[in-house]
Amino acid sequence: MKHLLARSSAILPARIVLSAVTVVALTVHAASAQPAPVKAPIVITGADRRPAASLDGDWASIVDPYSNGFSGYFRNQKFHAGDTRPIEYDFSTSQTLKVPGDWNMQRESLFYYEGPMWYERDFTYQPKEHTRIFLHIGAANYRSYFWVNAQKVCEHEGGFTSFNCDVTAAVHAGANFVVAAVDNTRLADGVPTLKTDWWNYGGLTRSVSLIEVPDAFTDQYDLHLSRREADQIEGWVHVMGAQPGAKVEVEIPELGAKTSAVAGGDGRAAIAMAAPGLERWSPETPKLYKVIVRAGPDSIEDLIGFRTVETRGTEILLNGKPIFLRGISIHGEAPYRTGRANTDKDAETLLGWAKELGCNFVRLAHYPHDETMLRAADRMGLLVWSENPVYWAIKWEDPKVLAKAQSELDEEIGTSRNHAAIILWSMANETPNNEARTRFIETEANHARELDPTRLITAALLVRAEGHTKIVDDPLGKALDVIGANEYVGWYEQTPEGADTTEWRVDYQKPVIMSELGAGAKAGLHGGDNDRWTEEYQANVYRHQLGMLNRIPQLRGMSPWVLVDFRSPLRNLPGIQDGFNRKGLISDQGQKKLAFFILQKAYKDKTVGKPE
Ligand code: GCU
C-alpha cells in the first residue's frame, strides 16, 4: 500500500499536502488498483543445469541509506533536460555494480556500507506459448525485493540460498527491465543475527539469470542410491503444474537404465530404478552420471554421483565402509580478491588447496555455499558438511525466526539435494546450551530429516571444560547423527603444550567431528614456538592438537579452522589482523603457513584419526 500511495502522490506536485480525505481517496483508489498478489519465490533443484539467459554483468546501482527508493525507484523513470516532473533518480546515468558480486569490494565507499542498494538492468524477451519464466537469483544478502517492468514479482530473506521468482505475468515482448533492492542490514531477528565473525558482504552476491520452463515442469527431484538394495536408485520427482496422472521419466544413458512413473495428486512421482553396474561415487572415484529427468515437454540433464552414507555406532560409513574425514573448514570468500566467492575458478582454487592439504572432506562454513563449490566438490571428490547459518545466539523464542531458519533449510536442501559430495546437513554453529535453543534446533533437525532422510544431521557444538578435561555433553547431541565440536586448546585457552594433558569426555556413543580447532598467525611473521601470532606458534598448536585428538575414541573426522584468512570486523589488531581473521593455514594472498605442512603431513601419513 505504501508503494501504491507513493505512486499516486508522485502524480501530484510534491508541494500539495494530502488532506485526510485525499489520502482516504488515494487509499481507496490504490486498494481498487491493487496489483496481482506477489507470489513467494520457489526452489528449483538443479537450476544451474537448466538453459538460462544470464543477467550477470553491469547493473545500474543507487546507494539508498534512507530507504527512500521504495517510494518509486522500481518505476525506473529517466530524467531528461526540460523534464517538468520531480524525478530525483535515474538508473541510466547512475554508477554500475558487477553482478554477481558483493558491493563492499567494488567501491571503497561501500566497504562498510550496510543498507539498501538499488540495482537495475534492461533485458529483451519474447514470450512463448505454454512457457513460464523465472528470475533465478543465486543469492542476495540479506533481504531482497524484485520488480519487473515496475511490477513487484517477489521478495526474499536469507543471504546464502538461491530462489526463483515467477515473472511470467510481468514480462512482455521486446524491451523489459528488472529492478532489485538488496538490503544487507543485520537484523536482531535475522538468521544469522547481528554479530558474526565474517564480513557482512551485501548485494546480488551470486549469479542472476532468466530460466524458461514449460507450464508444467520438474521443480524439485531427489535421486539417490538405496541404502538397502545394491545398485537400486530411488527417490522422487515433483512436477509443478502437473495434471493428475502426468508421466515422469528418469534415464541414465551410460547405464542403459530408464524408468517411468506417474505423478500423484501432489505432483510427486516415486522413482525406483535398477542400475546394475553402477560405479559408486567416492573421494577416490568421484564418478558422475548424466541423469535425464523428463516430465512431458520438460527435460533436465543433471550430473549426479551415487553413494550411500550412514552411521553405525561411532563409525561413519561411506558406501558401507568406515571412513575418517580428513577435512578443513572453508569460508565462502574469494581467494586473493576477497569478497564473496561465486565463480568456478574461486571454487577450484579453494578446493584445490584442500586437496593439496590431503583432504577428503570440507566443512563449508557457516552458510550454504555457491552451487559452483558443490559442483566442484562433486567433480573433485571432496565430501561436504553444508551448514544452515543458525550461528551463535539468534532469537530462539521467536517463531518468525524459526520460520526463517526452516525456509533457508528448504532452499539449501531443495536446491542442492542431489550433490553426492554433501553428506552432512549442519543445523547450527556454537549455540548457547539452553532449552529454547535446543527446542529450536531439534525442530530444525526434524525438518531436515523429513526433507532428506538420506544424509546425516550434525551441528558444531560448544564444548565445556572442567579443569583440563573437555566435556561434550550438550543435550542437543541427542538430536544429531554426528556430533560436531569446536575447541581452541592452545589459542583461546591453555598453551599449545596444554593439549598434551587435556583429556576428553564425550557423552555420546556417536561419531565425533572436531569441527573447529586452530590458531592465528600472520603469514611471514616468524619467532619462537610460543610467540603468539607467529607461524611457528600456529604450527606448534597443530602439532600438540594432533596427539590430543587421537585420544578421543569417537573421533571420526576433523575440519580445523580455517583454510584461508578471511575478512571480519571483529579482528582489528593493527599490523597482524587488520580486519582479517588470521587462523587460515593459507593467507588471503595464497601464502601457505608452516601449519599447513604440519597438517598436510598428518593427513598424508594418516597419523591422525583411526585408520580406515
Ligand atoms: C568460532 C566460530 C568461527 C570463528 C572462530 C574464531 O568458533 O565458529 O566462526 O571464526 O571460532 O574464533 O576464529
Side-chain angles (χ1 to χ4, degrees), residues 197 366 391 429-430 488 492 516 561 566 571 581 583:
D197 190 16
H366 284 294
Y391 181 91
N429 178 69
E430 292 195 347
Y488 284 90
Y492 290 125
E516 286 183 35
W561 193 259
F566 60 93
R571 309 296 176 171
N581 182 311
K583 296 189 183 69

Side-chain angles (χ1 to χ4, degrees), residues 389-443:
V390 173
Y391 181 91
W392 289 355
I394 66 171
K395 283 197 158 183
W396 310 110
E397 315 266 6
D398 184 339
K400 288 196 313 299
V401 175
L402 177 61
K404 291 177 185 180
Q406 305 281 65
S407 168
E408 289 173 346
L409 210 50
D410 290 342
E411 292 172 343
E412 174 190 21
I413 295 178
T415 303
S416 306
R417 61 192 315 138
N418 293 302
H419 292 294
I422 300 177
I423 55 169
L424 292 149
W425 297 121
S426 170
M427 300 297 104
N429 178 69
E430 292 195 347
T431 55
N433 177 356
N434 63 56
E435 282 189 21
R437 177 285 322 239
T438 305
R439 265 197 313 277
F440 184 105
I441 298 182
E442 282 174 349
T443 305

Side-chain angles (χ1 to χ4, degrees), residues 18-99:
L18 293 177
S19 70
V21 171
T22 313
V23 168
V24 168
L26 283 172
T27 306
V28 169
H29 165 70
S32 62
Q34 194 70 21
V38 174
K39 295 180 189 170
I42 68 164
V43 172
I44 296 180
T45 306
D48 64 325
R49 297 291 303 169
R50 284 189 175 274
S54 173
L55 294 181
D56 287 349
D58 290 336
W59 286 50
S61 65
I62 299 174
V63 189
D64 183 17
Y66 291 177
S67 303
N68 176 53
F70 286 95
S71 64
Y73 287 9
F74 56 85
R75 290 201 310 279
N76 185 24
Q77 290 169 298
K78 299 186 184 347
F79 175 78
H80 51 78
D83 201 322
T84 57
R85 296 170 301 163
I87 295 171
E88 298 185 273
Y89 74 99
D90 183 335
F91 282 113
S92 67
T93 51
S94 295
Q95 280 188 285
T96 60
L97 281 171
K98 293 224 171 296
V99 171

Side-chain angles (χ1 to χ4, degrees), residues 125-147:
Y125 184 65
Q126 199 53 45
K128 300 174 185 71
E129 286 272 291
H130 309 303
T131 301
R132 296 170 72 170
I133 178 165
F134 284 89
L135 181 66
H136 172 77
I137 298 99
N141 188 47
Y142 172 76
R143 283 176 293 170
S144 52
Y145 314 80
F146 297 85
W147 295 261

